[in-house]
Amino acid sequence: MEKSTERRHEEIRKYLLAYERASVNEIARVLDVTPETIRKDFSFLENKGFLFRTHGGAVLRNSNVDIPLNIRTQEKMDIKRLICSKVINYIDNDNVVFIDPSSTALPLGRLICLKKNLLLITNCFDMVSIAAESKHEIIMLGGSYSKTGKRTQGHFVTDMISKFSFDVAIFGLDGSEGLDGPGTQTEDAVFTNMAVMKRSKRNILIMDSSKFTRPARFQYAQFSDFDLLVTDKVPDQLKGKINTTVIEVGSE
């Protein structure tokens, strides 16, 4: 494969990871090539399992792609800050808190400075980096390193979790389309989240509304397993079907 073709495929991957969908004409204009060239590129990347072709374009194949944390962090940041500004009210001084490697939860790393004497436990490298500015004790769970998710994973993580009891645990998700609870793209995250939920007194799920219509490969819980769901908006067709307390920050 020519280097120019490889570079073009990489640019298409970056674009779809950032925007999730694109038209043939849009990408052709951005990369300054013909639409026919982009159609061939889309066919190649579809065969590689990266995208689905649509009429006149392509969409990211969410069900098979673990989107890098640095890409997810850039999405809907205003909404994520609103969600975290509500969630911080459910963390008390002296709590033992688990926060999972969710981009939605990252603003909590700064907000926890409003609390006193927390023990923060996480397997998210970015969370540790942000929360390090606070005066709280932080424990990073050890395990195999996921470059994509900037997290640790595997049986070492779940073994360490079994040594703790959490006052509050905060979880994100990759999607929930067609599910009755949160889903993730990686099997390791299922085992990690399930282990934490069993050892936490209060479990909180946080998500922006786009996750209701995104697919995920593995479901790790039901909505009813959580004490609280914080989002910007629950779709009308799901209202009354989520059996837990829901806070919609977008409606306040």
Side-chain angles (χ1 to χ4, degrees):
M1 186 183 297
E2 296 179 359
K3 287 187 176 180
S4 60
T5 302
E6 291 179 345
R7 285 197 297 268
R8 197 169 60 248
H9 289 172
E10 181 62 21
E11 290 301 315
I12 293 172
R13 290 189 185 97
K14 289 179 181 178
Y15 193 96
L16 285 173
L17 285 170
Y19 299 101
E20 299 188 352
R21 62 183 64 243
S23 70
V24 169
N25 291 336
E26 181 180 11
I27 292 293
R29 184 171 57 254
V30 170
L31 299 183
D32 194 25
V33 295
T34 66
E36 182 58 30
T37 296
I38 297 302
R39 291 189 187 96
K40 292 178 180 178
D41 291 338
F42 281 359
S43 293
F44 176 86
L45 292 171
E46 183 176 43
N47 290 334
K48 292 293 184 181
F50 187 81
L51 56 78
F52 289 113
R53 295 189 67 185
T54 62
H55 180 68
V59 296
L60 183 69
R61 191 167 183 165
N62 289 304
S63 59
N64 287 327
V65 177
D66 187 15
I67 301 176
L69 182 62
N70 63 317
I71 296 294
R72 290 185 280 123
T73 300
Q74 299 169 22
E75 299 179 329
K76 302 181 183 295
M77 278 309 302
D78 289 343
I79 291 174
K80 292 173 181 178
R81 292 189 187 99
L82 276 175
I83 289 171
C84 288
S85 68
K86 177 61 66 174
V87 172
I88 193 65
N89 297 323
Y90 293 87
I91 298 175
D92 296 326
N93 296 334
D94 303 306
N95 273 180
V96 178
V97 182
F98 174 84
I99 303 178
D100 88 340
S102 162
S103 63
T104 305
L106 286 179
L108 280 173
R110 293 186 173 86
L111 289 171
I112 60 173
C113 68
L114 300 173
K115 302 297 178 177
K116 297 179 180 179
N117 196 36
L118 299 182
L119 171 56
L120 172 62
I121 301 169
T122 186
N123 60 328
C124 177
F125 281 85
D126 280 5
M127 178 59 68
V128 170
S129 178
I130 295 170
E133 299 178 12
S134 71
K135 296 181 180 180
H136 302 303
E137 182 179 356
I138 302 172
I139 294 178
M140 177 73 187
L141 298 173
S144 301
Y145 176 61
S146 166
K147 183 177 180 180
T148 301
K150 293 186 177 180
R151 61 179 179 262
T152 53
Q153 58 189 24
H155 71 275
F156 287 114
V157 173
T158 52
D159 285 348
M160 288 187 70
I161 288 169
S162 68
K163 307 297 191 296
F164 296 100
S165 177
F166 306 100
D167 294 298
V168 184
I170 298 162
F171 303 89
L173 72 163
D174 292 319
S176 63
E177 184 180 40
L179 306 175
D180 60 356
T184 179
Q185 308 293 21
T186 66
E187 191 173 358
D188 277 305
V190 173
F191 296 121
T192 298
N193 292 350
M194 290 177 65
V196 173
M197 292 183 73
K198 289 179 181 178
R199 303 193 62 81
S200 178
K201 298 173 184 175
R202 177 184 291 171
N203 293 306
I204 299 175
L205 180 64
I206 59 177
M207 59 188 293
D208 70 75
S209 56
S210 70
K211 301 297 177 63
F212 286 110
T213 55
R214 290 188 185 181
R217 299 177 69 190
F218 307 102
Q219 181 174 336
Y220 67 84
Q222 295 182 320
F223 288 121
S224 59
D225 294 326
F226 294 89
D227 300 285
L228 182 67
L229 165 61
V230 185
T231 183
D232 55 308
K233 181 176 175 58
V234 176
D236 291 339
Q237 65 270 25
L238 292 179
K239 289 183 177 178
K241 297 181 180 180
I242 297 178
N243 298 318
T244 190
T245 301
V246 177
I247 294 178
E248 293 180 292
V249 297
S251 63
E252 297 182 351

